[in-house]
Amino acid sequence: MSSLLNSSAVKRSLVACLALPFTLLAGHAAADGDGVWKNGENVYAKVCGHCHESTVGPVIKGRQLPPQYITAVVRSGFRAMPAFPASFIDDKALQQVAEYISKAPAPAAKP
């Protein structure tokens, strides 16, 4: 049992579950206080990057993932990633971030 608790997948899932309430509480404040997202890069930086630029979620930039796949995963959730309803991120902003992610280059390797 203790070896299961030490697995990295369990730790990432636990961190994601603990971080989710704080992310949801940030809600519209993450949209720069006016309820409007600036562009796909803005959405990525304020929502997606918290997990996908750290060790919580997988790297998604630089993989040329299709925007349709990204929007489906965001709306439905996948494994440890929670679903984000339209009340959190509207369809237009979701499409913008999906296009940004699908075209973004891979992040620079960390030394």
Side-chain angles (χ1 to χ4, degrees):
M1 179 72 172
S2 65
S3 64
L4 175 64
L5 294 176
N6 289 329
S7 79
S8 62
V10 171
K11 287 179 183 177
R12 281 184 293 191
S13 296
L14 181 60
V15 168
C17 289
L18 293 174
L20 179 61
F22 297 108
T23 302
L24 293 176
L25 289 174
H28 295 289
D32 291 334
D34 60 2
V36 178
W37 301 104
K38 291 180 182 176
N39 55 37
E41 185 176 6
N42 175 252
V43 176
Y44 182 85
K46 294 192 172 234
V47 181
C48 314
H50 293 288
C51 292
H52 293 286
E53 294 289 323
S54 65
T55 59
V56 176
V59 173
I60 55 176
K61 289 168 53 177
R63 295 177 58 191
Q64 292 80 40
L65 297 168
Q68 299 85 353
Y69 172 79
I70 295 166
T71 58
V73 169
V74 170
R75 285 289 185 241
S76 303
F78 185 68
R79 296 187 180 179
M81 182 172 159
F84 289 88
S87 61
F88 184 83
I89 179 171
D90 61 86
D91 290 338
K92 180 181 175 187
L94 178 54
Q95 187 60 38
Q96 289 174 339
V97 75
E99 289 173 11
Y100 169 76
I101 292 168
S102 70
K103 295 175 184 174
K110 294 180 183 178

